[in-house]
């Protein structure tokens, strides 16, 4: 293999730049030519390529976002789009492709590989951390620390004014962020898509907590919760308890910012492992980390299998709210 491409696709995640840096520098050290593809799969279709050398990735390890930019590309969901992308990759002589992102990114990679000759390796990069085959996706650690910083600040106000707060965190369809920040931020309760939200029970818990002498209460709501997000839940609780409350939706602040040390190290390890995999002739896998060890998972499994929440952590939420 002589030439590889790298792209970031879907939502950006802090640590993607550290991963691009690792891919470029490890690729160069292995004698490969490395091409950056801008704006995800759209960049293939629009032939938006940039040659990357070791110096082109200087001073990016600490930066959030992605220097390659990203996009969600509908055309790559069509046969026509896949055919066109494969033709362009072939013409460019790109034999290996490393794609950093979540399940949508991996679906695109598999479609390309199945319809052409390009060898693909995926790297999990999503703050949602909802990809099967890795304990942590790049960006998750930074996102939960950013959210936690905000929650701690809100706790100052909640405590001072004896208030009930509903804080909505990201997580399109999963509750990984909510669970971790719920534990780390000392939440009264967490509401996540994986568990049915029972408003009556929530009201009971809140009322009891104030009766036990608590002066404030923080409820973490995952944006994907089936009960409709923080505004709807807060309204339903108000109708029953008539307790003054405030809402804070953390939103995209959780996606930005300088990656934590943990995300930078993970990104560097996964980037290096992805290059090694391609050089060693592997293809069609996502490289992740399970129990501290590099692990390869067939790309299809990353979305066909479901990553489970830590049930022990889930149980702890209630116990620690006592
Ligand atoms: O997948 C990451 C994520 O941040 C989700 O948590 C969120 O629902 C979604 O992306 C938001 O996407 P966009 O930035 O396209 O609105």
């Amino acid at each position: 293999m002589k030439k590889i491409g790298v792209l970031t696709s879907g939502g950006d995640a802090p640590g993607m730049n550290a991963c691009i840096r690792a891919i470029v520098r490890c690729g160069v050290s292995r004698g490969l030519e490395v091409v950056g593809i801008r704006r995800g799969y759209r960049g293939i279709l629009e032939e938006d390529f940039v040659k990357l050398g070791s110096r082109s990735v200087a001073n990016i390890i600490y930066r959030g976002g992605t220097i390659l930019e990203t996009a969600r590309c509908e055309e790559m969901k069509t046969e026509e789009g896949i055919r066109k992308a494969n033709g362009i990759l072939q013409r460019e002589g790109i034999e290996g492709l490393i794609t950093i992102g979540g399940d949508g990114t991996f679906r695109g990679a598999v479609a390309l590989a199945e319809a052409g000759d390009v060898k693909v390796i995926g790297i999990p990069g999503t703050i949602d951390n909802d990809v099967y085959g890795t304990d942590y996706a790049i960006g998750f650690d930074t996102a939960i620390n950013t959210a936690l910083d905000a929650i701690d600040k809100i706790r100052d106000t909640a405590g001072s004014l004896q208030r009930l707060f509903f804080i909505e965190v990201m997580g399109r369809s999963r509750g990984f962020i909510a669970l971790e920040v719920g534990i780390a931020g000392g939440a009264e309760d967490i509401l996540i898509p994986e568990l049915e939200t029972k408003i009556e029970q929530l009201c009971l818990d809140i009322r009891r907590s104030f009766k036990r002498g608590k002066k404030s209460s923080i409820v973490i709501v995952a944006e994907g919760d089936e009960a409709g997000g923080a505004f709807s839940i807060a309204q339903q609780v108000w109708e029953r308890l008539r307790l003054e409350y405030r809402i804070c939706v953390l939103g995209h602040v959780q996606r930005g910012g300088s990656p934590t040390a943990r995300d930078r190290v993970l990104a560097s390890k996964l980037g290096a492992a992805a290059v090694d995999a391609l050089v060693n002739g592997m293809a069609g896998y996502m490289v992740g980390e399970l129990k501290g060890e590099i692990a390869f998972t067939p790309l299809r499994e990353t979305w066909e299998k479901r990553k489970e929440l830590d049930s022990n952590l889930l149980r702890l939420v209630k116990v620690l709210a006592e």
Side-chain angles (χ1 to χ4, degrees):
M1 183 165 297
K2 290 196 179 69
K3 191 171 177 179
I4 64 169
V6 54
L7 62 79
T8 49
S9 166
D12 56 295
M16 281 182 164
N17 283 325
C19 191
I20 294 166
R21 172 181 178 269
I23 290 165
V24 172
R25 293 198 172 164
C26 292
V28 168
S29 79
R30 297 294 212 113
L32 297 173
E33 195 181 325
V34 185
V35 173
I37 300 163
R38 290 201 192 90
R39 291 173 297 122
Y41 293 107
R42 176 148 306 290
I44 302 181
L45 297 170
E46 295 177 4
E47 302 185 44
D48 196 354
F49 301 129
V50 54
K51 191 172 182 316
L52 295 175
S54 292
R55 294 287 69 75
S56 21
V57 290
N59 295 328
I60 65 167
I61 194 164
Y62 70 99
R63 283 170 56 190
T66 158
I67 59 159
L68 290 177
E69 302 175 17
T70 175
R72 305 191 200 272
C73 177
E74 288 304 311
E75 212 180 328
M76 276 297 288
K77 293 179 184 158
T78 66
E79 271 182 36
E80 175 60 25
I82 298 289
R83 199 169 330 112
K84 185 174 168 195
N86 265 324
I88 293 168
L89 289 174
Q90 203 172 6
R91 210 170 54 235
E92 282 292 316
I94 296 175
E95 300 158 85
L97 181 65
I98 299 177
T99 63
I100 311 168
D103 69 325
T105 306
F106 300 154
R107 284 171 204 257
V110 166
L112 271 178
E114 283 178 352
D117 296 325
V118 69
K119 308 268 184 280
V120 296
I121 292 286
I123 297 181
T126 163
I127 65 161
D128 288 0
N129 200 30
D130 55 353
V131 177
Y132 179 87
T134 193
D135 289 334
Y136 292 97
I138 296 167
F140 177 64
D141 188 61
T142 308
I144 57 177
N145 279 291
T146 303
L148 189 58
D149 183 51
I151 292 164
D152 288 347
K153 289 182 171 120
I154 290 168
R155 182 173 284 284
D156 287 343
T157 294
S160 302
L161 280 157
Q162 306 101 52
R163 260 190 197 149
L164 166 62
F165 263 90
F166 294 91
I167 304 178
E168 186 177 297
V169 296
M170 272 191 167
R172 195 198 313 261
S173 54
R174 302 299 309 272
F176 289 95
I177 296 177
L179 177 56
E180 296 269 335
V181 300
I183 292 284
E188 193 57 43
D189 213 336
I190 63 162
L191 308 179
I192 53 177
E194 290 84 351
L195 296 177
E196 189 193 344
T197 293
K198 296 181 180 136
I199 297 292
E200 301 301 339
Q201 183 61 47
L202 175 64
C203 291
L204 213 60
D205 289 347
I206 293 170
R207 192 177 306 148
R208 277 194 196 135
S209 80
F210 282 108
K211 278 204 177 129
R212 284 201 307 276
K214 286 196 177 184
K215 294 262 163 63
S216 61
S217 199
I218 290 180
V219 176
I220 303 291
V221 183
E223 65 171 333
D225 187 70
E226 33 87 38
F231 282 91
S232 155
I233 290 165
Q235 178 62 28
Q236 294 177 63
V237 171
W238 165 255
E239 282 160 14
R240 289 161 177 83
L241 295 184
R242 299 284 158 188
L243 251 183
E244 192 179 354
Y245 67 87
R246 293 290 185 274
I247 296 172
C248 183
V249 177
L250 298 184
H252 285 79
V253 293
Q254 296 158 97
R255 278 242 297 267
S258 187
T260 57
R262 189 170 177 161
D263 266 330
R264 297 182 203 190
V265 172
L266 177 69
S268 303
K269 281 159 82 173
L270 298 186
V275 170
D276 285 348
L278 281 178
V279 169
N280 294 332
M282 278 182 89
Y285 289 90
M286 179 193 81
V287 56
E289 197 180 58
L290 292 171
K291 296 188 171 46
E293 301 286 337
I294 292 293
F296 290 93
T297 302
L299 276 170
R300 251 176 206 291
E301 285 186 17
T302 65
W303 73 83
E304 283 177 356
K305 292 194 174 171
R306 184 176 165 85
K307 179 170 172 175
E308 294 304 334
L309 288 170
D310 182 341
S311 52
N312 289 324
L313 265 192
L314 268 176
R315 272 194 292 274
L316 262 188
V317 176
K318 281 264 178 283
V319 177
L320 298 184
E322 270 305 303

